Amino acid sequence: MNHVLKHIESITRQRDRSMLDLGIVSALYELLKATEVNLYQTRPDAPPRFQHMAHMGSNGVHYAQSELETSPHSHTAQHRPDLQTCYDDCLLVFQYRPQDQRFVYCFPVIQERRVASILELIRDTPLTEDERGTAEGFLALYRNFVGLLDYSERDTLTGLLNRRTFEQHAERILRSLSHISPHTPSHGFHARRQGERNEGAYWLAVLDVDHFKRVNDQFGHLYGDEVLLQIARLMRDSFRHEDRLFRFGGEEFVVLLRAQTEAQLCTALERFRHAVAAYRFEQIGQMTVSIGYTAIQPDDSIGAIIRRADEALYAAKHLGRNQTRSFEHLPGNAPSAPRPIVELAAQA
């Protein structure tokens, strides 16, 4: 009983999603004497992907220090039909693995009527009914706390992540880049990939709705709120599930994302900018956004990153609005071998 209470206390004190993931994996690994426990976050792509977020086994503890960080052990339905069945049916999936004589359980974690995560538990022996009840009880506790964290992290109007949460995500990225974690001596997934394929750089983009004050002045704040709601929806449609989308307040939004090249980053930002320009807002008509972005460096501070992106955004506004600008390519900041970026004329 003391072991159970210890793990409950550990889980309920967490205010960081990555450490909450690690807490549930650690609890079930110890309490159920598993040989391996893994937690996957589902990505609703087509087909769905299962992003490895935390692991505990005989080879140690590993976890993603940032939701933008990817693991070499993420899967699709082609490689893990058991995860796919668990996702599709929203039910516990059990199988015996004859090659290593192990019993594998995939537990769905359902949030907002979909399987948001899957916990995989591997044992040398089958779970008893009591042990299965323990697993399901801890997963219910985990699900409830994820819901509480998610609620506290969201902007009440748009449902995007809020400004306070931005600092937590940015700190995780900087911690991941510096390969230092203040929470635990265990290594993040990045430590397992050294020498493997390049996962790309982290970027921050600031997005601002052009002439938004005019909307509030001419049409009223209800229409202004409706514009912000539609902008948030277009952001979700334009960016990937793993990209972190924030509302900073007013008409300003922020995106944290990872891309292998600057060209890939510009493609994502321009896709969103074009989507906004093509959308017809009720009673208002066309709206546009201006975007400024910058690369995140290992020795950065959060304040410095935001200042650079804001400077690029100011340049986009000053040069005509409805365009995307990079801080690194502004006059005086260009690298020795400048790379071209997309610069489209403003649609007044």
Side-chain angles (χ1 to χ4, degrees):
M1 178 61 72
N2 285 338
H3 286 314
V4 172
L5 295 176
K6 179 190 73 174
H7 285 293
I8 291 175
E9 188 276 332
S10 176
I11 289 172
T12 55
R13 74 164 180 259
Q14 300 301 335
R15 297 298 180 268
D16 179 287
R17 176 64 184 269
S18 62
M19 300 311 298
L20 185 59
D21 291 347
L22 189 59
I24 187 65
V25 166
S26 173
L28 294 182
Y29 178 81
E30 179 179 330
L31 293 174
L32 299 180
K33 297 178 173 56
T35 60
E36 183 179 339
V37 179
N38 297 289
L39 184 69
Y40 297 93
Q41 191 174 101
T42 63
R43 308 294 200 198
D45 302 329
R49 289 187 297 122
F50 306 101
Q51 184 69 40
H52 204 179
M53 303 305 294
H55 162 86
M56 182 166 284
S58 59
N59 59 340
V61 179
H62 306 283
Y63 67 99
Q65 296 186 44
S66 162
E67 289 184 329
L68 298 179
E69 185 180 354
T70 58
S71 160
H73 298 295
S74 297
H75 302 289
T76 61
Q78 179 182 1
H79 300 101
R80 289 295 304 271
D82 54 341
L83 295 178
Q84 184 67 43
T85 301
C86 181
Y87 178 81
D88 290 338
D89 297 344
C90 301
L91 296 172
L92 169 65
V93 173
F94 162 75
Q95 66 173 334
Y96 175 69
R97 213 161 57 188
Q99 61 268 33
D100 57 1
Q101 298 181 325
R102 297 279 169 82
F103 298 85
V104 182
Y105 296 82
C106 295
F107 291 88
V109 180
I110 301 172
Q111 292 173 304
E112 297 181 355
R113 292 180 289 186
R114 75 174 188 90
V115 177
S117 305
I118 296 175
L119 184 128
E120 177 189 48
L121 189 144
I122 303 174
R123 294 231 314 184
D124 291 328
T125 58
L127 290 173
T128 66
E129 285 298 316
D130 285 345
E131 289 171 331
R132 176 175 164 177
T134 297
E136 291 173 342
F138 267 85
L139 285 172
L141 180 68
Y142 168 80
R143 182 187 66 243
N144 290 341
F145 265 79
V146 168
L148 288 172
L149 281 180
D150 190 63
Y151 179 79
S152 68
E153 291 176 348
R154 298 287 170 177
D155 172 62
T156 54
L157 175 64
T158 64
L160 300 181
L161 296 167
N162 58 33
R163 182 165 189 160
R164 180 180 62 82
T165 306
F166 165 78
E167 292 193 4
Q168 299 172 6
H169 285 265
E171 285 171 358
R172 290 176 205 162
I173 290 173
L174 293 174
R175 193 162 66 232
S176 177
L177 289 174
S178 66
H179 292 187
I180 296 174
S181 169
H183 300 291
T184 172
S186 304
H187 298 293
F189 283 127
H190 65 273
R192 304 168 67 186
R193 300 200 296 266
Q194 292 179 357
E196 296 183 10
R197 66 185 179 89
N198 175 31
E199 293 291 339
Y202 292 102
W203 307 82
L204 180 140
V206 178
L207 295 59
D208 190 87
V209 182
D210 296 327
H211 301 299
F212 183 73
K213 184 176 183 299
R214 186 185 303 166
V215 174
N216 282 335
D217 291 345
Q218 292 184 1
F219 300 95
H221 289 279
L222 286 178
Y223 279 98
D225 287 349
E226 182 62 26
V227 167
L228 297 177
L229 285 167
Q230 293 303 323
I231 291 290
R233 183 184 65 80
L234 292 170
M235 287 179 71
R236 293 189 187 95
D237 291 343
S238 300
F239 293 100
R240 301 169 301 183
H241 179 76
E242 58 263 38
D243 298 331
R244 302 292 92 186
L245 311 178
F246 305 84
R247 183 189 176 203
F248 257 37
E251 69 273 27
E252 189 173 71
F253 299 83
V254 167
V255 181
L256 281 173
L257 67 166
R258 203 169 190 185
Q260 288 189 332
T261 66
E262 188 171 2
Q264 290 180 353
L265 170 75
C266 285
T267 296
L269 296 176
E270 287 292 285
R271 180 171 57 244
F272 168 69
R273 190 179 66 81
H274 282 293
V276 173
Y279 188 81
R280 290 299 178 267
F281 294 84
E282 184 178 356
Q283 299 293 321
I284 297 170
Q286 185 189 42
M287 299 290 296
T288 62
V289 294
S290 298
I291 304 173
Y293 70 88
T294 187
I296 299 176
Q297 306 297 335
D299 58 348
D300 256 328
S301 68
I302 296 175
I305 300 166
I306 295 175
R307 282 194 298 272
R308 293 200 305 271
D310 274 341
E311 188 171 334
L313 173 65
Y314 175 81
K317 294 279 191 181
H318 181 71
L319 294 169
R321 296 183 173 86
N322 189 26
Q323 56 186 273
T324 299
R325 291 279 169 169
S326 161
F327 171 83
E328 284 75 17
H329 294 289
L330 296 179
N333 298 328
S336 57
R339 295 160 290 176
I341 63 171
V342 179
E343 298 178 0
L344 301 181
Q347 302 175 17

